[in-house]
Amino acid sequence: MTLTNRVNTAKRLTTNTAALKDWRIRNKHNRAMREMAREISGGKGYIIASVKELAAKYGTLCHYETTAPGADAKRAWGLQMNEVHRKIQFTAI
């Protein structure tokens, strides 16, 4: 998958998350993540960062482990609703 395809996918996921209806957002975490998705989609629509950079910038909203192998690798990130857990999360593309 090329970088352009990854970026376009991340933009689409983030835009869809930003457009979630109020009745689907049931907790503080999802409300904060949806607002973040709206801010990101107003700009580039995606984030290029490593897990460590995400954790440093967004704190507890980033659920990935910063000590895991590959946490320094840069990826294109979008925000997406996890339908199983009903939680908005960062998604690496």
Side-chain angles (χ1 to χ4, degrees):
M1 185 178 236
T2 65
L3 181 61
T4 303
N5 289 342
R6 291 173 196 264
V7 166
N8 289 336
T9 302
K11 283 181 185 180
R12 185 171 26 89
L13 292 175
T14 304
T15 302
N16 291 343
T17 301
L20 286 174
K21 302 288 184 190
D22 287 339
W23 62 270
R24 293 194 57 154
I25 305 301
R26 300 285 181 166
N27 57 39
K28 289 182 192 178
H29 172 83
N30 284 349
R31 196 170 298 117
M33 292 294 278
R34 183 180 62 176
E35 290 305 315
M36 186 187 318
R38 288 178 177 172
E39 291 173 12
I40 293 169
S41 64
K44 295 187 293 185
Y46 62 96
I47 300 169
I48 294 184
S50 67
V51 172
K52 290 183 179 181
E53 292 171 345
L54 281 179
K57 186 169 183 179
Y58 298 111
T60 59
L61 294 176
C62 178
H63 67 282
Y64 291 99
E65 192 66 39
T66 59
T67 59
D72 292 326
K74 296 231 182 212
R75 295 178 176 88
W77 296 87
L79 281 86
Q80 182 181 24
M81 172 72 90
N82 182 330
E83 294 297 329
V84 174
H85 299 290
R86 292 293 202 204
K87 189 174 182 182
I88 298 174
Q89 298 175 332
F90 286 102
T91 304
I93 310 297

